Amino acid sequence: MEPESGIGSSTSPCQFSLVTLSRNLLLAYQSFGVVYGDLSTSPLYVYSSAFSGKLRNHHNQEAVYGAFSLIFWTLTFVPLIKYVIIVMSADDSGEGGTFALYSLLCRHAKLSLLPNQQAADEELSSYRYGPSSAQAASSSALRRFLEKHKRLRTALLLVVLFGACMLIGDGVLTSAISGKFSFFSAEPLCVLITTSELLLLACIILVGLFALQHCGTHRVAFMFAPIVIIWLLFIFSIGLYNIIYWNPKIVYALSPHYIVKFFRETGKDGWLSLGGILLSITGTEAMFADLGHFTALSIRLAFVFVIYPCLVVQYMGQAAFLSMNLDSFSNSFYASIPEPFFWPVFVVATLAAIVGSQAVITATFSIVKQCHALGCFPRVKVVHTSKHIYGQIYIPEINWILMVLTLAVTIGFQDTTLIGNAYGLACMTVMFITTFLMGLVIVFVWQRNFFLATFFLLFFWLIEGTYLSAALMKVPQGGWLPLALSVIFMLIMYIWHYGTRRKYNYDLHNKVSLKWVLGLGPSLGIVRVPGIGLIYSELTTGVPSIFSHFVTNLPAFHKVLVFVCVKSVPVPYVSPDERFLIGRVCPRPYRMYRCIVRYGYKDIQRDDGDFENLLVQSVAEFIQMEAANPRMDPVVREELMDLIRAKEAGVAYIMGHSYVKARRNSSFIKKLAIDIGYSFLRKNCRGPSVALNIPHISLIEVGMIYYV
């Protein structure tokens, strides 16, 4: 988040503190509509999911006490201690999520697999974080070990991508489970209308939810923040009422002693029920993933002072009710509501569930954008939905794919317990991967003691691993769904990444000899006409092989040529004054330059029509800085005038219309991946000219076949 404008050096510390506090309180209010919808609606289904299956044989007071104790300590250790206190301190220039952690690691160790990285990227102002990498490099044998073995770096990227795929699956399952539980768990509603009508109603609401995405999350979130707050007041009040009315002694269950008694009594059945208990912390990963939309302080304030106490009181109240009503486990939340308040709570619960879905859908858009920046996802249309909050985006293709998958899950999985099993596995996998990456951050980025990182890993892996093992046991009962979705998305990501790297390596090893270009002379052996030709390539050095195709196929070429490379760097944002990196390809008479355009993984390539002017301005500044002569040498003045006249004559965008095919002697798997998988993805995703916002009327394409 950018600092508030208008806070200058004359502002007193007291005024500054008040402005900062009010800003964070406003952001905390807005976070209810974006971050906490999912986590706050978990009481709808936790107890009913936990006490289904084999735990039906243990519907007694001791089991209820033990289940609540598990929920309380899980909420305390994972969301509160791990995320709020520790993980949220590892933001990447205000950005959160698994990709933020991976970006930090790539900047403090040579772990990145992005193909066209340069030493100049390390000079970006947003590249630095904490202690310098030079200090860290000399003190870590583990870092050198990882940097030395490419397979380990590849494995690390695959782990990050797997976590991203699980989060995408989470986006599908969150909408499905919230919609179905909010309707199908309400017994009075089930009496009034049939199951088919309930299913139709849930599907209509889901379609409406996805149809609203193009409006932007900032509008939807600001509108629904009051709904989540009302929902939290409802569940807090109902929980407090149930504690006082049904069983005040439930407060004794805060003792972890009841966890021991729970497992002693239930044994393996209790362990399997953890797949339902873990649903109490689903949505926790959204606190970190959505950090870029807010501030760490605002999210912490909302959780510590509102979310955490409301959830604890609600779960305690449900447990108090269940301990005295042992036949109400199937719809424990709605059964625990005092009858006069049922319908108001039901309406607010439905709206709050929709907000919960919104949070994960928005996070999915960000994840896909980041995957694309890493070269691991096909080109998609990214729409910037807010002028004030830079990171809020909308991706139409992903939105409709999510909608279709969500409707398929909602209709295909009639048993909500199956969806809960799948949902829990997806969420816990993301948390498990975050813990692993955080352990590496503690060593490489924070440069803390290796044993401290090991303790962090072992402590939280013990908790999360226990839950994950229970969730994996539910794979046959719905847990296979997020795994299947992850495999599909992983295949798409890997094939695209593999094909893109193969194409880049072809360009890298088949560059045009600079001696050949110089041998053509300043005219390049053809007619040089007025204008600027922007030749797009992924190379940051040398002349791409496709240039020879341009020279031999085009009868004339522009007087000024600029080789443009648009690339991603492992930082969230690149400031506009550092975006363009200009250099020469040939001596001054050739009028051939190179422009490297750098974007962070959260940056949006805006279609504002100002790209040409910024590029020409950057080239002009480079010419002046290179000359370093205040009196303006006539040769330099002539070069600048040529640039200005070329800009006035017009700008043409020159790209290769490439076809990528596997070599004849390639293996069957490689041919399958390149000739079928990669070719299919290239044909059905947005073209590079569309993704780069190149005006079609100024585009020149030359065909070329890549045999990789």
Side-chain angles (χ1 to χ4, degrees):
M1 301 294 296
E2 293 295 326
E4 286 284 331
S5 59
I7 301 175
S9 56
S10 60
T11 306
S12 68
C14 182
Q15 289 176 315
F16 182 82
S17 299
L18 288 174
V19 171
T20 303
L21 179 61
S22 61
R23 175 172 175 261
N24 279 287
L25 288 176
L26 176 62
L27 289 172
Y29 164 78
Q30 293 176 343
S31 71
F32 290 115
V34 175
V35 178
Y36 293 114
D38 187 12
L39 185 62
S40 64
T41 52
S42 295
L44 286 170
Y45 42 75
V46 170
Y47 282 110
S48 57
S49 297
F51 282 91
S52 62
K54 293 186 177 180
L55 210 61
R56 288 177 181 148
N57 302 323
H58 302 278
H59 285 187
N60 55 63
Q61 195 173 84
E62 290 297 322
V64 172
Y65 276 44
F68 167 68
S69 189
L70 274 168
I71 293 171
F72 170 75
W73 287 106
T74 303
L75 278 171
T76 302
F77 281 126
V78 179
L80 181 61
I81 296 178
K82 177 190 164 184
Y83 276 90
V84 171
I85 297 178
I86 302 175
V87 174
M88 288 180 65
S89 300
D91 65 291
D92 183 11
S93 302
E95 294 298 323
T98 53
F99 276 94
L101 298 178
Y102 180 70
S103 172
L104 286 175
L105 291 171
C106 289
R107 300 211 301 274
H108 287 76
K110 297 177 181 178
L111 304 177
S112 176
L113 292 176
L114 290 175
N116 48 10
Q117 298 303 290
Q118 301 170 280
D121 298 337
E122 299 182 12
E123 298 175 5
L124 291 168
S125 57
S126 56
Y127 202 93
R128 301 295 177 185
Y129 181 100
S132 68
S133 350
Q135 292 174 342
S138 62
S139 61
S140 177
L142 178 60
R143 174 183 291 102
R144 293 191 293 270
F145 179 74
L146 289 175
E147 292 174 347
K148 183 179 178 181
H149 296 84
K150 184 180 178 181
R151 289 185 178 180
L152 293 177
R153 289 184 282 130
T154 303
L156 179 63
L157 176 61
L158 290 176
V159 167
V160 173
L161 292 179
F162 184 68
C165 292
M166 276 294 187
L167 190 58
I168 295 173
D170 191 2
V172 173
L173 296 168
T174 299
S175 304
I177 193 171
S178 298
K180 292 202 76 170
F181 264 107
S182 60
F183 288 109
F184 285 78
S185 299
E187 254 184 21
L189 193 63
C190 295
V191 173
L192 294 175
I193 57 179
T194 64
T195 302
S196 300
E197 291 171 335
L198 280 174
L199 186 61
L200 178 61
L201 184 59
C203 291
I204 290 173
I205 289 179
L206 288 174
V207 171
L209 170 67
F210 285 101
L212 285 173
Q213 295 304 309
H214 74 281
C215 297
T217 56
H218 62 290
R219 294 188 181 94
V220 179
F222 197 89
M223 179 176 63
F224 279 112
I227 299 298
V228 177
I229 293 174
I230 294 172
W231 163 252
L232 290 167
L233 290 174
F234 273 176
I235 63 174
F236 179 84
S237 302
I238 293 169
L240 189 61
Y241 168 82
N242 286 329
I243 293 170
I244 298 171
Y245 183 82
W246 290 106
N247 187 5
K249 293 183 179 179
I250 191 66
V251 294
Y252 296 139
L254 293 173
S255 170
H257 170 68
Y258 284 91
I259 298 177
V260 178
K261 293 179 66 176
F262 174 80
F263 285 115
R264 186 183 300 160
E265 178 190 336
T266 59
K268 183 180 178 181
D269 295 343
W271 169 61
L272 292 174
S273 73
L274 293 178
I277 298 292
L278 70 84
L279 295 178
S280 63
I281 55 173
T282 53
T284 299
E285 67 279 0
M287 288 195 297
F288 188 48
D290 291 332
L291 185 59
H293 301 291
F294 306 97
T295 62
L297 178 58
S298 64
I299 294 179
R300 283 167 169 157
L301 285 172
F303 183 83
V304 172
F305 292 103
V306 181
I307 300 296
Y308 181 74
C310 286
L311 288 178
V312 170
V313 171
Q314 166 55 212
Y315 284 120
M316 186 185 294
Q318 267 197 72
F321 171 81
L322 288 173
S323 66
M324 298 299 175
N325 299 270
L326 298 175
D327 56 346
S328 301
F329 284 94
S330 59
N331 62 333
S332 59
F333 176 77
Y334 286 111
S336 67
I337 301 173
E339 190 172 342
F341 300 98
F342 175 82
W343 289 110
V345 173
F346 170 75
V347 172
V348 176
T350 303
L351 294 174
I354 294 172
V355 176
S357 305
Q358 175 71 36
V360 186
I361 293 170
T362 304
T364 302
F365 293 154
S366 298
I367 286 292
V368 171
K369 170 67 173 66
Q370 294 165 14
C371 288
H372 171 64
L374 284 173
C376 297
F377 204 87
R379 292 179 292 268
V380 290
K381 181 180 181 180
V382 179
V383 180
H384 197 71
T385 61
S386 173
K387 295 180 181 179
H388 307 289
I389 304 178
Y390 196 62
Q392 292 188 353
I393 59 174
Y394 165 66
I395 303 177
E397 298 95 327
I398 299 302
N399 182 61
W400 303 123
I401 290 173
L402 284 177
M403 187 191 76
V404 171
L405 291 174
T406 299
L407 291 175
V409 172
T410 304
I411 297 170
F413 284 72
Q414 297 297 323
D415 188 355
T416 51
T417 302
L418 298 181
I419 303 179
N421 293 338
Y423 184 40
L425 178 59
C427 294
M428 190 50 63
T429 303
V430 176
M431 294 181 191
F432 196 81
I433 290 173
T434 300
T435 300
F436 168 68
L437 294 175
M438 190 62 209
L440 295 179
V441 167
I442 291 174
V443 176
F444 293 161
V445 182
W446 291 355
Q447 298 183 39
R448 301 295 184 185
N449 191 288
F450 177 79
F451 296 103
L452 179 64
T454 303
F455 174 78
F456 174 85
L457 276 176
L458 293 179
F459 180 79
F460 286 105
W461 266 2
L462 177 64
I463 298 172
E464 295 166 353
T466 305
Y467 279 110
L468 186 60
S469 63
L472 288 172
M473 296 301 293
K474 301 290 183 70
V475 168
Q477 292 86 38
W480 57 269
L481 181 58
L483 294 176
L485 290 173
S486 297
V487 168
I488 294 172
F489 281 106
M490 278 289 288
L491 280 175
I492 293 173
M493 291 180 181
Y494 179 77
I495 290 173
W496 183 263
H497 182 70
Y498 178 76
T500 302
R501 282 188 66 87
R502 285 292 178 180
K503 180 176 177 294
Y504 175 81
N505 288 334
Y506 179 94
D507 277 334
L508 192 64
H509 294 99
N510 292 275
K511 290 188 289 189
V512 175
S513 169
L514 192 58
K515 184 182 293 186
W516 177 79
V517 177
L518 294 174
L520 296 175
S523 68
L524 299 178
I526 54 177
V527 179
R528 301 291 292 271
V529 297
I532 298 177
L534 303 182
I535 304 173
Y536 278 79
S537 166
E538 294 181 1
L539 294 179
T540 56
T541 59
V543 179
S545 58
I546 204 167
F547 178 73
S548 61
H549 289 258
F550 295 153
V551 173
T552 55
N553 285 279
L554 297 177
F557 233 20
H558 301 83
K559 191 166 186 178
V560 175
L561 296 178
V562 182
F563 291 90
V564 180
C565 171
V566 180
K567 70 172 205 173
S568 295
V569 289
V571 296
Y573 302 104
V574 176
S575 63
D577 58 335
E578 296 179 311
R579 191 170 308 285
F580 295 95
L581 194 62
I582 309 296
R584 287 193 188 275
V585 176
C586 290
R588 179 175 281 115
Y590 287 76
R591 303 295 193 257
M592 295 173 65
Y593 310 93
R594 182 182 312 283
C595 175
I596 299 172
V597 189
R598 299 177 291 187
Y599 289 95
Y601 60 83
K602 284 277 190 176
D603 274 324
I604 304 294
Q605 299 180 25
R606 296 176 182 270
D607 186 14
D608 52 11
D610 204 32
F611 176 79
E612 295 176 4
N613 295 329
L614 291 173
L615 189 147
V616 172
Q617 179 184 342
S618 299
V619 174
E621 291 173 355
F622 166 77
I623 294 171
Q624 293 173 321
M625 290 177 62
E626 186 186 44
N629 189 347
R631 295 184 179 181
M632 191 66 69
D633 187 276
V635 177
V636 176
R637 185 181 298 109
E638 181 186 359
E639 185 177 9
L640 288 172
M641 291 304 299
D642 284 346
L643 180 65
I644 295 172
R645 285 192 290 264
K647 173 64 171 66
E648 293 173 348
V651 178
Y653 296 79
I654 306 166
M655 302 189 73
H657 190 82
S658 55
Y659 300 88
V660 182
K661 294 184 177 181
R663 294 175 181 173
R664 293 182 178 179
N665 60 349
S666 300
S667 64
F668 172 76
I669 295 178
K670 183 178 179 180
K671 289 181 178 179
L672 186 67
I674 297 295
D675 295 342
I676 297 179
Y678 187 65
S679 297
F680 174 81
L681 293 175
R682 281 177 61 88
K683 289 177 183 177
N684 290 278
C685 72
R686 293 183 179 266
S689 60
V690 178
L692 295 171
N693 299 315
I694 294 175
H696 185 71
I697 195 172
S698 304
L699 177 64
I700 301 173
E701 290 187 294
V702 177
M704 181 176 179
I705 299 178
Y706 287 76
Y707 288 100
V708 298

